Amino acid sequence: MSSSPNKLKVHALVWQDRQLSVLDQRQLPEQVHYDNFATAPEVAEAIKSMRVRGAPAIGIAAAYAVALSVQQHYAADNTEWRQQVAADITILAASRPTAVNLFWALSVMQEKLALMTGSPVINMINTALEIHQQDIAANQYMGEIGADILADAQGLLTHCNAGALATGGYGTALGVIRSAQKRKARDIFAGETRPWLQGARLTVWELAEDNIPATLIADSAAAMLMQSGKIDWIIVGADRIAANGDVANKIGTYSLAVLAKHHGVKMMVVAPVSTIDFAMPNGRQIEIEQRAASEFLPDYYAQENSLIDAWNPVFDVTPAELINVIVTERGAVFNPFEQGVSELK
Ligand code: MRU
């Protein structure tokens, strides 16, 4: 199952010929390889195995997966199709726990399915396409808002990959960096993002594809980089933002926020409103995904009776008081610890 849609300008997800083409991000930067999926369980597996990753991209993939499910099961003589789609939605909801965009997209699709008139297949495909397009538009708008806030700031550090690969296109944190870079050249640093190396494999690749120079750092070099005075802002995305402004994002974000406070560096979080979980009062209740030890435990220790295991939480929660601004397509909330983000609802 493989093909190469469109010449690459970084598309994580492409809907074509009534299938979903997913760029396999596990193979980047060496290989640009797309898999085509025609069923929802296949897309759930692509999310679980991180062929597609990044909160908004996970949500968009799930929306297309619901459309695929309706396309597969809907038939005038199939009285069970709604139950079959519901079963697929349950499988999708179990694919990854932390990014709320997944659950947001599934509930948008479910609501639409419950209320729609006309052809369910066309309706669901159009709703997924709309979710995808709206995400790109939101990113572009957030890019401008974020670039206004950065003004003349020179040194920018990002973490993980919150770019076109992690979204419908353009990116959240990387969208702001793209927009800021169009206004004037900045010094852009990317943390490698252990253990999965989203920064080293995806972010710098994406920047290079866009002709934006960047410097990769080991995560452990961040403190020294800040101490050197070369960084004005840290700019990251989010997987789930609680109502009080606490932010779950890629493991290591919290460390960067603590370091930023110590060094007088500012912290910007960029995320669409679909990343805000208004029902979650604070970050303490956010489920943090734990992934396999094998993501970084050397094979040597993976034998039976080994005394060595690994602890691999892949997100952490940054308290709102360590964040200077949260940028969304509905505007920016400065000092979110004061009032939270409920005003964006
Ligand atoms: O485990 P991942 O690669 O899905 O984690 C991604 C992140 O933590 C991103 O920073 C976040 O989803 C925002 S992407 C716009």
Side-chain angles (χ1 to χ4, degrees):
M1 235 188 346
S2 158
S3 68
S4 254
N6 309 339
K7 183 168 168 344
L8 188 73
K9 248 304 175 196
V10 192
H11 298 288
L13 299 166
V14 181
W15 178 259
Q16 60 177 14
D17 303 331
R18 296 212 162 191
Q19 294 200 330
L20 183 63
S21 275
V22 176
L23 174 60
D24 187 347
Q25 300 191 26
R26 301 168 312 174
Q27 298 190 41
L28 289 171
E30 286 85 8
Q31 300 287 335
V32 175
H33 171 87
Y34 283 82
D35 291 306
N36 299 327
F37 298 118
T39 71
E42 287 175 309
V43 177
E45 169 52 29
I47 294 171
K48 201 177 230 162
S49 59
M50 294 186 54
R51 282 177 169 82
V52 57
R53 32 66 50 202
I58 290 170
I60 295 162
Y64 282 125
V66 176
L68 287 172
S69 177
V70 173
Q71 181 176 269
Q72 183 187 1
H73 298 300
Y74 174 75
D77 61 349
N78 179 7
T79 53
E80 310 271 280
W81 73 270
R82 281 187 186 271
Q83 289 95 307
Q84 289 161 340
V85 171
D88 277 346
I89 289 175
T90 304
I91 293 170
L92 287 161
S95 58
R96 288 191 78 187
T98 306
V100 76
N101 308 62
L102 168 66
F103 307 98
W104 172 85
L106 292 176
S107 75
V108 170
M109 296 301 281
Q110 270 171 314
E111 261 170 47
K112 190 78 180 201
L113 195 56
L115 298 175
M116 82 193 164
T117 51
S119 157
V121 179
I122 302 295
N123 246 294
M124 289 295 96
I125 293 173
N126 285 342
T127 306
L129 287 166
E130 230 169 81
I131 287 175
H132 192 166
Q133 286 314 313
Q134 280 169 2
D135 188 68
I136 298 172
N139 287 343
Q140 284 164 342
Y141 190 51
M142 291 188 290
E144 295 308 309
I145 299 176
D148 284 346
I149 295 168
L150 293 180
D152 282 336
Q154 188 58 32
L156 312 175
L157 170 64
T158 189
H159 185 59
C160 193
N161 170 265
L165 290 169
T167 61
Y170 202 67
T172 56
L174 271 198
V176 168
I177 289 174
R178 285 192 161 94
S179 298
Q181 189 73 9
K182 280 181 203 152
R183 298 185 188 185
K184 86 174 183 94
R186 327 268 170 154
D187 304 321
I188 296 160
F189 294 86
E192 62 175 351
T193 316
R194 293 210 147 252
W196 210 79
L197 301 178
Q198 285 90 338
R201 297 191 306 99
L202 308 178
T203 294
V204 292
W205 178 76
E206 221 191 285
L207 289 168
E209 287 285 305
D210 223 4
N211 286 319
I212 299 176
T215 303
L216 183 66
I217 61 160
D219 295 331
S220 43
M224 190 171 167
L225 182 68
M226 289 186 224
Q227 193 181 43
S228 75
K230 286 186 181 148
I231 298 296
D232 302 304
W233 282 89
I234 295 169
I235 310 176
V236 295
D239 284 81
R240 192 183 292 239
I241 301 176
N244 74 338
D246 290 351
V247 169
N249 191 48
K250 181 51 55 191
I251 190 79
T253 304
Y254 174 41
S255 324
L256 290 175
V258 172
L259 289 171
K261 187 91 174 170
H262 181 76
H263 292 100
V265 169
K266 293 197 195 104
M267 186 85 190
M268 176 187 288
V269 175
V270 189
V273 171
S274 55
T275 305
I276 302 178
D277 187 348
F278 292 102
M280 183 145 298
N282 60 61
R284 285 193 299 280
Q285 286 100 27
I286 297 176
E287 185 182 344
I288 298 296
E289 179 182 6
Q290 304 278 335
R291 290 187 71 88
S294 57
E295 284 192 347
F296 67 98
L297 187 68
D299 287 348
Y300 179 81
Y301 301 110
Q303 339 145 4
E304 228 177 291
N305 302 325
S306 170
L307 295 180
I308 307 302
D309 195 4
W311 180 55
N312 189 14
V314 299
F315 300 100
D316 57 27
V317 176
T318 300
E321 63 259 33
L322 296 179
I323 297 166
N324 295 86
V325 61
I326 296 178
V327 173
T328 77
E329 75 276 30
R330 293 195 191 148
V333 177
F334 288 89
N335 305 322
F337 68 92
E338 286 173 357
Q339 308 269 345
V341 292
S342 296
E343 67 186 74
L344 297 169
K345 199 165 178 178

